[in-house]
Amino acid sequence: MVKLIHILHAGEKKKLIVENWSCKSDISLGARFTRAQQQLKALNTSTLASNSTEYQTKVSEIVKQLEICLEQVDKLSLFSSNETTEDYSTGELKLLLIHAYLGEVIQKQQGSRVQVLEQARSHYSKFLTLCKELEISEANPREPRDAGATRMQKIERYKQMRTMEQEIRQLEEHLAQETDMEQVEREHAVKLIKLKVYQVEDDENLLASELEMARQMEQMKERDTREPAKPDTSWRLDEHSVKLDPRTNQPVALPVFNDKGQPMRPFVLTGRGSERQEIRDRVFRPGWALPTMSVDEYLQQEKERGNIISGGGKEPESKQVDEDDYEALDAETMKQREWDDFKDDNPRGWGNRGGNRG
């Protein structure tokens, strides 16, 4: 029931005072939201195990309170894309956080992980959409392709979040000291929403990755349920002697050994003489790898594969210098002298460190 409605003649719109609005309860909308907000803050600092009954009871209670608040806000049609933050009171601005808090606390619930993550992402998406429509948050900047630029962007974003958290703590201290501080309370609400936008954007990326993994895990579980896996009997010495029923995957006959390795019935180690000899050869053999073929056999095999090139003509004969050609003789002599000088300047093995010095 609405107890108090003011008509704003300037804008010709109804201004609902949410602090005095209640539905099927004596608790006002603002008081219910504040209580759920405090309970969530206490839950985040709790030392209880997340799978304990007490913890899950608190989670369910917070979800219930926030869903009632959301239902009342929807009935009021409080937020509109045609308005800005200046059109709302401080108490009304705080109600923007309902979707963000629901997305946060729903993740703490147990059950189907896919359904939990999908519900959380849905509330996060609605929260970000409302903040963009009311121009509280800006459009996400485009991710830089350079890894260094991405790292610097994340560092700058982290610094902004830490600065906002410090400012929010200072504003909360001022609010705790004095009661009538409308401007400080409004600044606190706006900064709290902006900080939550940053946190939700970061959390949404993690939820997308976790949701993909959760879907894959559920698909694997469904596949395993439809097709039960056959028990692994490769470790057993008698795996070939154990026959399994194709309908139940259970052994038809009594196995040779039990789970402790004790024999259950008489058995034959090997069925054929070739298997006996093969096992004996594998046991009584050297500890190193023995050659499987001779050198000639290996070369013949490589030749058949085409890895050895054979054939070809005779080697070219060295060119003989005519004894009557004095110019050619002089050139050959100079060439030999230059070669001798080179060998004198560069002895054999020169430059090798501890190598083949001759």
Side-chain angles (χ1 to χ4, degrees):
M1 180 180 66
V2 179
K3 293 184 178 180
L4 180 60
I5 299 178
H6 291 295
I7 306 298
L8 300 182
H9 298 284
E12 293 297 334
K13 81 180 193 70
K14 295 180 180 181
K15 186 69 173 179
L16 299 174
I17 309 301
V18 299
E19 286 81 0
N20 297 326
W21 197 93
S22 61
C23 177
K24 298 180 182 181
S25 176
D26 296 334
I27 304 176
S28 65
L29 174 57
R32 186 184 298 276
F33 172 76
T34 302
R35 186 173 68 177
Q37 188 180 31
Q38 294 173 352
Q39 289 176 347
L40 179 58
K41 186 176 180 180
L43 185 67
N44 290 332
T45 58
S46 174
T47 58
L48 296 173
S50 59
N51 58 351
S52 63
T53 305
E54 183 179 357
Y55 186 91
Q56 290 299 318
T57 302
K58 292 183 178 181
V59 169
S60 301
E61 178 64 23
I62 297 173
V63 171
K64 180 180 178 181
Q65 296 297 327
L66 291 174
E67 286 179 346
I68 293 176
C69 293
L70 185 60
E71 181 183 357
Q72 295 176 4
V73 170
D74 291 340
K75 287 183 178 180
L76 290 172
S77 299
L78 189 61
F79 299 108
S80 173
S81 59
N82 299 324
E83 299 174 343
T84 62
T85 55
E86 301 298 330
D87 299 323
Y88 295 98
S89 65
T90 303
E92 292 170 338
L93 282 180
K94 292 180 180 180
L95 299 178
L96 283 171
L97 294 167
I98 293 178
H99 280 296
Y101 288 155
L102 272 173
E104 179 182 354
V105 72
I106 282 177
Q107 297 181 59
K108 304 178 185 297
Q109 289 182 327
Q110 292 182 334
S112 175
R113 193 59 184 167
V114 174
Q115 295 180 1
V116 168
L117 295 177
E118 287 178 347
Q119 292 178 9
R121 288 192 68 189
S122 176
H123 286 293
Y124 277 170
S125 178
K126 293 177 182 178
F127 170 70
L128 294 177
T129 302
L130 279 175
C131 291
K132 289 177 183 178
E133 290 177 351
L134 299 179
E135 299 179 355
I136 297 178
S137 65
E138 300 177 355
N140 293 333
R142 184 173 298 177
E143 286 287 340
R145 296 183 179 181
D146 185 15
T150 304
R151 181 174 179 273
M152 294 302 299
Q153 181 179 347
K154 290 182 178 180
I155 292 175
E156 184 64 25
R157 185 183 182 89
Y158 177 79
K159 290 180 179 178
Q160 292 177 0
M161 292 175 63
R162 297 286 80 81
T163 303
M164 293 180 67
E165 288 178 354
Q166 185 176 0
E167 292 175 353
I168 289 173
R169 284 195 293 268
Q170 293 176 355
L171 292 173
E172 289 177 350
E173 292 177 358
H174 288 303
L175 290 174
Q177 295 174 0
E178 301 183 25
T179 56
D180 189 13
M181 297 182 68
E182 174 64 25
Q183 186 64 27
V184 177
E185 187 177 359
R186 187 173 185 84
E187 183 181 358
H188 172 264
V190 173
K191 286 187 178 295
L192 192 63
I193 294 172
K194 289 184 178 181
L195 176 62
K196 203 63 182 177
V197 168
Y198 283 159
Q199 294 174 346
V200 167
E201 288 176 348
D202 293 341
D203 200 11
E204 199 175 31
N205 296 330
L206 298 176
L207 285 181
S209 302
E210 186 180 355
L211 181 59
E212 182 179 357
M213 294 177 60
R215 286 172 177 168
Q216 293 178 358
M217 291 296 294
E218 284 200 355
Q219 291 176 0
M220 293 175 60
K221 290 180 180 179
E222 292 178 358
R223 185 168 58 251
D224 293 342
T225 303
R226 292 193 303 266
E227 300 177 1
K230 296 182 179 179
D232 184 17
T233 58
S234 59
W235 60 274
R236 302 180 66 98
L237 295 175
D238 60 335
E239 61 171 328
H240 298 292
S241 64
V242 179
K243 296 182 180 180
L244 300 178
D245 188 347
R247 295 172 299 178
T248 61
N249 286 331
Q250 298 296 327
V252 178
L254 188 66
V256 177
F257 297 99
N258 58 14
D259 296 336
K260 297 181 180 180
Q262 300 172 348
M264 302 290 292
R265 57 185 174 85
F267 64 93
V268 179
L269 181 60
T270 55
R272 298 186 299 271
S274 59
E275 293 182 0
R276 184 190 301 272
Q277 185 63 33
E278 183 180 352
I279 294 174
R280 182 183 299 170
D281 293 340
R282 287 202 302 265
V283 174
F284 300 101
R285 66 175 181 179
W288 59 89
L290 298 176
T292 58
M293 65 179 68
S294 63
V295 177
D296 295 336
E297 291 175 347
Y298 171 75
L299 293 176
Q300 181 64 27
Q301 185 177 4
E302 290 296 314
K303 185 177 180 180
E304 293 175 355
R305 292 177 178 174
N307 295 332
I308 297 178
I309 300 176
S310 60
K314 296 181 180 181
E315 295 182 359
E317 298 180 357
S318 59
K319 186 177 180 181
Q320 298 293 334
V321 181
D322 189 4
E323 296 181 356
D324 297 332
D325 190 353
Y326 297 106
E327 293 182 359
L329 290 174
D330 292 341
E332 183 67 21
T333 302
M334 292 300 297
K335 183 178 180 180
Q336 293 293 335
R337 288 180 180 177
E338 290 176 356
W339 176 244
D340 293 339
D341 294 340
F342 177 80
K343 289 194 295 182
D344 292 340
D345 296 337
N346 301 277
R348 181 181 178 185
W350 185 261
N352 293 343
R353 297 180 179 180
N356 54 340
R357 295 183 179 181

